[in-house]
Amino acid sequence: MPETTEATERGYSSAKTDYAKRLRRIEGQVRGVAKMIEDDKYCIDVLTQISAVNSALQSVALGLLDEHLGHCVSHAVAEGGDEAERKLAEASAAIARLVKS
Amino acid sequence: MPETTEATERGYSSAKTDYAKRLRRIEGQVRGVAKMIEDDKYCIDVLTQISAVNSALQSVALGLLDEHLGHCVSHAVAEGGDEAERKLAEASAAIARLVKS
Amino acid sequence: MPETTEATERGYSSAKTDYAKRLRRIEGQVRGVAKMIEDDKYCIDVLTQISAVNSALQSVALGLLDEHLGHCVSHAVAEGGDEAERKLAEASAAIARLVKS
Amino acid sequence: MPETTEATERGYSSAKTDYAKRLRRIEGQVRGVAKMIEDDKYCIDVLTQISAVNSALQSVALGLLDEHLGHCVSHAVAEGGDEAERKLAEASAAIARLVKS
């Protein structure tokens, strides 16, 4: 059950503007891939653009993960108990999804 | 130098409508990630959404690659000569980028 | 500078026997890939075996990472200060390497 | 059903000695990871070594794939017909496994 009762302070809160900018650029890149296909561009060039979008998304994810570890997970660990265990297991599962996607 | 002189017939030509639809959905997903960050959603939920976008992009890329092998590369191989070598090397480089992105 | 002065107690210490067994199996799988090539086995079958080895290695890495977060990083976070920052940054860099390998 | 009736000439045949050497080195690296764990080495250093093994394996796989495309798949494409379709589909499935492993 996604955690919505948590205070809205997130690890990424201080970088929200930067993430908004990066995601807008990624959105534009995806539109660019669609336009390349619409314009019958050469397959390899379309694939090169998709690899670039993948890498940009990956670095957004790694940034969010780093901030999550340093904020939400660290706070839970500092308090100890079951919540720390839960947050650590949750982070490891997110890392596994990222490694396998 | 991206190949633009090639006839506009591509391996993906018959699937252009499907790719347009899938890329519009991916574009919407990227906007969704941005909205989650704007709304201070929980980091792990944002990461889960990014992994989903990565997987959707990956399957678009694998589809394009499959069609490229069956169309552009196969035509070049059927004709033989240097163009076949070039197309094969180009495809292998695109596969390597995809594996490493 | 690899950390060798740390007490030898590691997050993975209690699972050393299991890791030894899993790595011996992976070692055997790599030898199996070499034997397949020596015996001129079909390329696709060799590739399938390599993907299996990659996945087995990846799950060893995810296990070690989970234990590292729960042990070394958590201890440092509980104590706070610069060491916590260093351990968190180090863990994020290891996650990035894993995602990109 | 793995293809064993195929002539033993493979795309990788001329590079068998090189692959044997690379796989022996990878086998040694896996043993090295096991030794690091046995010796209670720092988790991050073990993870760094695993990422190196993953990358070495990945480049063996990309080499085999490149040779398979240039040999088995190209021969089948040159002859045309169902076998070409089968070989192309098989190669695309192997690429997908590699991308997702």
Side-chain angles (χ1 to χ4, degrees), chain C residues 2-3 10 12 16 27 31 37-38 40-43 45 47-48 53-54 61 68 87 90 97, chain D residues 2-3 10 12 16 27 31 37-38 40-43 45 47-48 54 57 61 68 87 90 97:
Chain C
E3 179 106 12
R10 301 294 184 205
Y12 61 74
K16 279 175 75 167
E27 206 192 306
R31 258 196 307 276
I37 289 180
E38 200 187 302
D40 302 306
K41 293 299 185 193
Y42 185 48
C43 324
D45 300 331
L47 282 167
T48 303
V53 178
N54 256 340
H68 179 64
K87 280 276 199 278
E90 199 182 47
R97 275 194 301 275
Chain D
E3 177 107 15
R10 302 292 184 206
Y12 60 74
K16 277 174 75 167
E27 204 192 306
R31 257 196 310 276
I37 288 179
E38 199 188 302
D40 302 306
K41 292 298 185 193
Y42 186 48
C43 322
D45 299 331
L47 283 166
T48 302
N54 255 341
L57 263 173
H68 180 63
K87 279 275 197 282
E90 198 182 48
R97 276 194 302 274

Side-chain angles (χ1 to χ4, degrees), chain C residues 21-78:
Chain C
K21 210 172 70 180
R22 287 163 72 182
L23 287 162
R24 263 198 310 277
R25 197 181 314 132
I26 291 172
E27 206 192 306
Q29 285 179 297
V30 174
R31 258 196 307 276
V33 170
K35 186 74 172 62
M36 289 177 87
I37 289 180
E38 200 187 302
D39 297 346
D40 302 306
K41 293 299 185 193
Y42 185 48
C43 324
I44 295 289
D45 300 331
V46 182
L47 282 167
T48 303
Q49 187 60 18
I50 290 179
S51 292
V53 178
N54 256 340
S55 300
L57 262 174
Q58 209 176 63
S59 87
V60 166
L62 289 171
L64 289 170
L65 194 56
D66 179 50
E67 283 142 9
H68 179 64
L69 290 175
H71 182 267
C72 309
V73 176
S74 290
H75 288 183
V77 164

Side-chain angles (χ1 to χ4, degrees), chain B residues 41-87:
Chain B
K41 293 298 183 193
Y42 185 48
C43 324
I44 295 289
D45 300 330
V46 182
L47 283 166
T48 303
Q49 187 59 19
I50 291 178
S51 292
V53 178
N54 255 341
S55 299
L57 262 174
Q58 208 177 62
S59 87
V60 165
L62 288 170
L64 289 169
L65 194 57
D66 179 51
E67 284 142 7
H68 179 63
L69 290 176
H71 182 267
C72 311
V73 176
S74 289
H75 289 183
V77 164
E79 282 163 40
D82 292 350
E83 182 57 9
E85 296 302 318
R86 204 181 67 78
K87 280 276 198 280

